[in-house]
Amino acid sequence: MYKYQILIEYVGTNYRGWQIQKKGQTIQGVLQDKISKLLKEKITVIGSGRTDAGVHAISQSAHFECKNLILDKDKFLKSINHFLKNKMISVLNLKKKNKEFHARYSAKERVYKYVIYNRISPSVLFHDRGWHIMKKLNLKEMRNGAKKLIGTKDFSTFRASSCNAKSPIRTMKSVKIKNQNDKISIEFRSQSFLQQQVRSMVGCLKYLGEGKWSLKKFDRILKLKKRENCAPPAPAKGLFLSRVFY
């Protein structure tokens, strides 16, 4: 058997998320179906992690095993992307890997980006790829709040009730907030994330930026470690899995 890593770009708007579900179309399901048809054998695609319904990816990482050696990478990419036409999924690259490689368990760092359009007028070009917030956000306060999220902490406040992770402890390596022409990008870096963690943190940072919460309250809610104190999570459409490092 040969093992391959693929890098995938997708728009998650019309999908139930990455992972195969009993009902509804998923990214993993579509990829498995198309790669299996292309290689003429049953293929299982393992992703670096799940993305929720409506979440996008700039460079999701996954792997699969197959019986035959793929000799022509360019031919594979052209063929699979032909099969994925009109699916809003693109396979960006293919890399042969050793048997020890695992898209999920070998990952050292994951990078997520959240996009906010902070202006009066909504974006028609990027309607499903960003959160439109009309009220001017205080970026200085949001950056002060972001500093509170860095380090090894119990992130139970930001953990979905359906999250099945064994521990709420995670190490946030960095949180960076940038603003260009009223497009605010918030980048989060960690080895792994809890279910809905990023969207929940963005929702709380938004409350801070709007002046609904003080920095003192933001810090207190983080330390309380209770989900019921969390602000409403940011919508999925503004979230992108940006990159996975190994």
Side-chain angles (χ1 to χ4, degrees), residues 37-148:
K37 286 179 180 176
L38 177 61
L39 298 181
K40 295 180 174 60
E41 62 175 293
K42 188 175 180 180
I43 296 295
T44 301
V45 177
I46 308 295
S48 68
R50 305 172 186 178
T51 51
D52 293 336
V55 176
H56 317 296
I58 296 167
S59 185
Q60 166 71 289
S61 172
H63 78 260
F64 65 87
E65 291 183 285
C66 57
K67 295 174 184 175
N68 298 308
L69 185 66
I70 299 172
L71 298 170
D72 191 332
K73 182 178 87 169
D74 288 353
K75 183 181 179 182
F76 173 87
L77 292 174
K78 287 175 184 176
S79 299
I80 192 60
N81 286 316
H82 174 75
F83 286 160
L84 291 168
K85 192 167 56 177
N86 303 323
K87 292 293 186 181
M88 301 301 282
I89 302 172
S90 177
V91 179
L92 306 175
N93 203 356
L94 174 82
K95 300 176 182 177
K96 190 173 181 295
K97 291 289 183 178
N98 59 37
K99 291 180 181 179
E100 285 71 42
F101 177 82
H102 194 285
R104 181 180 176 188
Y105 299 122
S106 300
K108 296 288 191 291
E109 184 176 276
R110 293 168 173 85
V111 183
Y112 276 90
K113 181 175 76 170
Y114 198 92
V115 175
I116 295 170
Y117 290 96
N118 191 203
R119 62 192 197 189
I120 292 172
S121 305
S123 173
V124 292
L125 291 176
F126 304 104
H127 170 69
D128 289 321
R129 291 161 213 184
W131 189 10
H132 176 223
I133 299 173
M134 285 192 279
K135 186 174 181 179
K136 201 69 179 173
L137 298 175
N138 185 331
L139 291 183
K140 184 179 178 182
E141 278 296 280
M142 290 174 71
R143 288 186 176 114
N144 287 334
K147 290 175 185 175
K148 303 279 186 185

